[in-house]
Amino acid sequence: MIVIIGSVNMDLVLRVPRMPMPGETLAGDKFMTIPGGKGANQAVACARLAAPGTAVAMVACVGDDAFGAQMRQSITACGIDDRYLDEVAGEATGIASIMVDANAQNSIVIAAGANGRLDVERIERARALIEQASIVLLQLEVPVPTVIHAIELAHSLGKTVVLNPAPAQALPRELLQKVDYLILNEIEAAMLAEERSAAQSDDIPLLAARLHALGARNVVVTLGEKGVYGAFADGQQHHLPARKVQAVDTTAAGDTFIGGFIGAIAQGRDPFDAIAYAQAAAALSVTRIGAQTSIPTRDEVVL
């Protein structure tokens, strides 16, 4: 079983010809509400991209509002176990306000809402579920103390711990020693590795080596159109170039990659095979609009 502990958001997506300047009013092209949130996106990606029969469950919070009901429906429609998807009375479901420009680049502002109520007590209530897991996947759109507690619990139970440290923020150094797979972009890698200069942050092997030294066993750095760099505990290190596609929306591309990678790892595939599979899924996702609406199924991914 793969257990995802993380955020659930309704994405409020506005297509724009370009990003507005400060103080500028700009006419948008199209508005959509699309299920999202890093945690929910990654859970959906795991459910769609893992091998048939792989159980996926989520530990999260939604509000007692219409968005919460819609998000639960979206999650359960993918076959994801929602027993620990708590509805918080009097709280709004998290939202992400997303602008996507004509070059498929996005700008995102998040209001945590019920995601901020995912506390340590809720993690403890889900202990029985975590005990059944083989892989536990987390991100940073919920309170960091909750993430730290969940990682420590999963590690103590001998689970494979996967962390996507996004949005980028400081974490205790010792936490990385309890992470089996650290999947992050180059900005997040530079922050966690505490390498501030442009020259250092552009040296991805150096950043990966620094993160290994801090305790992360396996490091996967996503580089957008430049591909993916993997550095694993067995000493294998390699850069895989990105697939060339015509992107229309990059929202949830990283989440799709993570779901595809973890789904492949859960199946026992070689990590570089897992990266290639995840890249193929992510490349397909950027040709579609939205977060969960863009995530392909296993049958759609062609290597």
Side-chain angles (χ1 to χ4, degrees), residues 16 18 32 39 44-45 114 126 130 149 160 168 175 185 206 264 275 293:
V16 294
R18 58 175 175 80
M32 298 163 282
V44 168
I130 296 169
H149 181 81
T160 296
L175 191 67
N185 65 28
L206 173 66
I275 288 176
T293 50

Side-chain angles (χ1 to χ4, degrees), residues 31-56:
F31 175 75
M32 298 163 282
T33 57
I34 300 174
K38 282 190 175 297
N41 292 344
Q42 291 173 20
V44 168
C46 286
R48 291 180 182 169
L49 294 167
T54 302
V56 178

Side-chain angles (χ1 to χ4, degrees), residues 39-249:
N41 292 344
Q42 291 173 20
V44 168
C46 286
R48 291 180 182 169
L49 294 167
T54 302
V56 178
M58 188 162 193
V59 181
C61 291
V62 295
D64 60 347
D65 54 12
F67 284 164
Q70 291 174 45
M71 290 304 305
R72 184 182 297 277
Q73 182 180 21
S74 175
I75 288 167
T76 57
C78 295
I80 298 168
D81 184 340
D82 71 334
R83 285 176 294 165
Y84 293 93
L85 179 60
D86 288 350
E87 181 181 293
V88 183
E91 189 67 79
T93 299
I95 64 100
S97 178
I98 304 175
M99 288 188 292
V100 182
D101 69 16
N103 295 316
Q105 297 303 305
N106 59 43
S107 179
I108 304 174
V109 178
I110 295 171
N115 293 313
R117 301 290 293 277
L118 184 60
D119 54 19
V120 168
E121 181 181 350
R122 286 187 164 89
I123 300 302
E124 283 299 322
R125 287 208 299 265
R127 178 184 283 260
L129 180 71
I130 296 169
E131 288 174 347
Q132 298 173 43
S134 58
I135 297 174
V136 178
L137 168 60
L138 305 102
Q139 323 77 32
L140 299 181
E141 283 187 344
V142 296
V144 169
T146 304
V147 173
I148 292 172
H149 181 81
I151 287 175
E152 291 175 342
L153 173 61
H155 177 74
S156 71
L157 293 171
K159 308 305 177 183
T160 296
V161 177
V162 183
L163 176 63
N164 170 221
Q169 53 192 289
L171 292 171
R173 285 191 174 190
E174 60 273 15
L175 191 67
L176 295 186
Q177 298 171 14
K178 299 170 183 175
V179 173
D180 296 289
Y181 288 93
L182 185 67
I183 307 177
L184 68 179
N185 65 28
E186 53 207 305
I187 295 172
E188 294 149 4
M191 174 173 283
L192 286 188
E194 298 181 351
E195 300 289 359
R196 303 300 187 190
S197 76
Q200 289 171 317
S201 65
D202 286 344
D203 189 340
I204 304 304
L206 173 66
L207 293 180
R210 173 65 173 159
L211 293 169
H212 274 304
L214 291 173
R217 294 184 63 243
N218 302 285
V219 178
V220 179
V221 185
T222 58
L223 306 168
E225 62 183 16
K226 295 181 288 184
V228 175
Y229 182 82
F232 296 96
D234 61 3
Q236 292 188 84
Q237 300 182 42
H238 192 54
H239 172 262
L240 282 73
R243 292 194 169 203
K244 301 299 182 183
V245 295
Q246 183 62 50
V248 298
D249 185 355

